[in-house]
Amino acid sequence: MTIEAPDLSLAALAPLLFVFGAACIGVLVEAFGPRDSRHPVQVAVALVGTLGGLVTTVLLAGTREVTAGGALAVDGAGLFLQATIAGLGALSLLLFAERNLDPARSAFVVSAAVPAGSVRDRELLTVQRVQTEVYPLATFAIGGMMLFVTANDLLVMFVALEVLSLPLYLISGLARRRRLLSQEAAVKYFLLGSFASAFFLYGVALVYGATGTVRLAGVREAVAGAEGGTLVVLGLALLVVGLLFKASVAPFHTWTPDVYQGAPTPVTAFMAACTKVAAFGAILRLLYVAFGTEEWTWRPLVYGVAIVSMVIGAVLGLTQTDLKRMLAYSSVAHAGFLLTGVLGLPATGDAAGSGLPAVMFYLLAYGLTTLGAFAVLTLVRSGEGEATHLSQWAGLAQRSPLTAAVMSLFLLALAGIPLTSGFTGKFAVFRAAIEDGAWPLALVALLASAVAAFFYLRVIVLMYFSEPAVDGPTVGVPGLPTTIVLAVTAAATLLLGIVPGAVLGLADRAAIFVG
Amino acid sequence: MSVTHYLVLAAILFTIGAVGVLVRRNAIVVFMCIELMLNSVNLTLVTFARATGTIDGQIMAFFVMVVAAAEVVVGLAIIMSIYRTRRSASVDDANLLKY
């Protein structure tokens, strides 16, 4: 018996190799590098890896290739989403690297093994030592996400899902302040996340049993030949539940507010932006490539969850008093808006519908905006921690007009006001839904947008038209990393709203799945 | 014994695991229930490998074992850190984040 070497196109894998390579080097630096110089080296390694991944995806533009023995599909949509994840990931890493805002010079705990609140913990709280394990962990998560959106095989998809999730569970428990909340967030995220992974995996097993293969193309052929029946439908449902959990779509969203609130804010920014892109990338590929012919099986399911997600996100967002929680419910609502676009016509082969490019553009726009919004949250501080309670933001415009203006821009974009990226994205996904005859869904989406706009605008009103409290929060002066993040995300939010043509065109041309 | 028996057994184990996650209160027990779910999937995969005459299912079972081992490392680390602070591994005690 001979074993054939699988065809492996190293060029097409370059983005992944870059990011995973940087993550492995990061682990070695952590083990052998001298402690004093570790922080700058780790930041540099992680940034070179993610930016290298971004550049190589851009260079690969136009590649349509199935490689690694059919396990990976490097295609237009995959590369677009990989570039989005790499870019947003690099920006999140810059937020991780910020050293000017916290008096102890880092948002991450020095030693996660020391019990919170113990004598040793209080000693370490003011020590200006920096934790650098987060950089390789975050780089591994970014690599897993980039693998996730190009996986052409259910098994690779599962492995990528775990590679992106496991580091996230850990880094969400590493906050320097309010460690109990952070640890609780990590436990909840971990238990619910692995519960959802188990469902996804059972779905993989059932689809494999029904079709005899885990390749997405093989599944499509088997399903089109009407093999499997009940097993396929059951497997599909379980797979989708696992993915919807990661995308924090209601009713699988219960972890989202807790984890977003408890995790360190840079990590929350990273999760809100990148995980969403990765999860929706996988949902799109699974539904369009493997189950494109089974459209009438998953359509009602996606239709229903989209409505539930928009309504729950918008209505519960109204009742929140914590800004991080409010943005978490906003993320649930946005997941519903994205699903509206997923229902646009499938884009297999040449018959491209408007749904796929619309969702791709929306993911990019939402990722940049939400990253910026969380970056602003790291600036406003009271005492030694962040001031995330709504009432603390009263009159912020008088204290720091620039911060209030930038936050208002992001909130307006999240609400979908014209001339911001949020409007362009929403317009694109709603149009895709209406073109496909799903106008009732678009109607619900519009109503939900209107409700959601209320809680975004409430923050703006609070910042501009309230008197600041005497003992209100201070606005920290950000260092270079956060300044870069704020400048890039604010500029992108405006540009994608005013002149979205180039990026929309790019998404349109890239919106092709192979496999 | 037909393959159906194994599939039904696996489905029962999966259900026991899923119900356990929902009703048990100790984080370690919840975690064990998740492991039970993963292992029932392994049984399903191996059974389907036999039924469809392909080897993919057996290979996948190995992947699942490796992933489950990695999950144990991460999960126990997280549960240990919260236990050290609170002296309790009950998921009901972790209730600071709500509404």
Side-chain angles (χ1 to χ4, degrees), chain A residues 304-476:
Chain A
V305 234
I307 291 178
V308 172
S309 198
M310 288 185 288
V311 171
I312 286 190
V315 173
L316 290 185
L318 287 177
T319 63
Q320 300 307 316
T321 52
D322 184 284
L323 273 164
K324 277 168 98 178
R325 272 185 105 73
M326 194 198 86
L327 287 177
Y329 279 106
S330 132
S331 145
V332 174
H334 280 279
F337 298 142
L338 279 159
L339 281 183
T340 314
V342 173
L343 285 169
L345 284 169
T348 35
D350 295 330
S354 53
L356 183 56
V359 173
M360 283 157 53
F361 178 86
Y362 198 116
L363 284 170
L364 174 66
Y366 171 75
L368 285 164
T369 308
T370 197
L371 194 64
F374 280 110
V376 178
L377 284 189
T378 63
L379 299 182
V380 183
R381 312 183 74 89
S382 98
E384 297 198 315
E386 283 155 11
T388 55
H389 199 274
L390 208 51
S391 62
Q392 290 173 298
W393 283 57
L396 196 78
Q398 293 178 29
R399 202 161 273 142
S400 172
L402 187 62
T403 314
V406 173
M407 189 64 179
S408 306
L409 170 67
F410 292 134
L411 290 170
L412 289 175
L414 288 173
I417 306 293
L419 295 185
T420 60
S421 61
F423 175 75
T424 323
K426 269 191 184 148
F427 183 78
V429 292
F430 293 171
R431 196 190 57 184
I434 292 172
E435 275 178 7
D436 203 37
W439 63 266
L441 191 62
L443 195 66
V444 176
L446 282 175
L447 290 174
S449 305
V451 175
F454 172 76
F455 63 75
Y456 298 124
L457 295 180
R458 185 176 59 182
V459 180
I460 297 177
V461 169
L462 198 67
M463 285 193 297
Y464 279 93
F465 302 111
S466 299
E467 282 304 308
V470 184
D471 56 344
T474 54
V475 178

Side-chain angles (χ1 to χ4, degrees), chain A residues 112-113 115-116 155 158-159 162 166 169-170 180-181 183-188 190-191 194-195 197-199 201-202 204-206 208-209 212 214 231 258 261-262 320 325, chain B residues 11 14 18 21-22 27 30-31 34 37-38 41 44-45 48-49 52 54 56-57 60 63-64 67 70-71 74-75 78 81-82 84-86 91 94-99:
Chain A
L155 178 61
F158 171 68
V159 173
E162 292 296 317
L166 293 179
Y169 300 148
L170 286 174
L180 276 181
L181 292 187
Q183 289 177 347
E184 185 179 321
V187 169
K188 285 180 173 170
F190 168 73
L191 289 177
S194 32
F195 189 48
S197 303
F199 277 100
L201 192 62
Y202 200 46
V204 175
L206 293 185
Y208 165 66
V214 282
L231 266 188
D258 287 358
Q261 188 189 358
Q320 300 307 316
R325 272 185 105 73
Chain B
F14 189 87
V21 171
L22 298 176
V30 171
F31 189 33
I34 291 169
M37 293 166 76
L38 292 182
V41 173
T44 314
L45 283 170
F48 277 136
T52 58
T54 51
D56 303 29
M60 275 193 274
F63 273 89
V64 176
V67 167
E71 218 168 63
V74 169
I78 293 173
S81 72
I82 201 166
R84 279 199 188 152
T85 310
R86 294 171 180 270
V91 285
N95 58 359
L96 294 170
L97 291 165
K98 51 189 168 188
Y99 312 123

Side-chain angles (χ1 to χ4, degrees), chain A residues 101-182:
Chain A
L101 290 171
D102 196 290
R105 310 212 1 112
S106 168
F108 297 99
V109 68
V110 176
S111 169
V114 174
S118 64
V119 179
R120 178 79 184 129
D121 188 43
R122 279 196 292 276
E123 282 170 15
L124 283 176
L125 193 60
T126 49
V127 174
Q128 296 208 341
R129 215 192 299 155
V130 187
Q131 229 267 21
T132 49
E133 284 158 19
V134 287
Y135 299 102
L137 285 171
T139 318
F140 268 119
I142 294 169
M145 290 166 186
M146 289 169 67
L147 181 62
F148 202 38
V149 294
T150 46
N152 192 32
D153 180 314
L154 290 174
L155 178 61
V156 176
M157 219 178 241
F158 171 68
V159 173
L161 176 70
E162 292 296 317
V163 172
L164 81 88
S165 302
L166 293 179
L168 275 180
Y169 300 148
L170 286 174
I171 54 178
S172 58
L174 293 180
R176 181 160 207 136
R177 323 252 163 217
R178 300 185 226 180
R179 284 190 60 197
L180 276 181
L181 292 187
S182 180

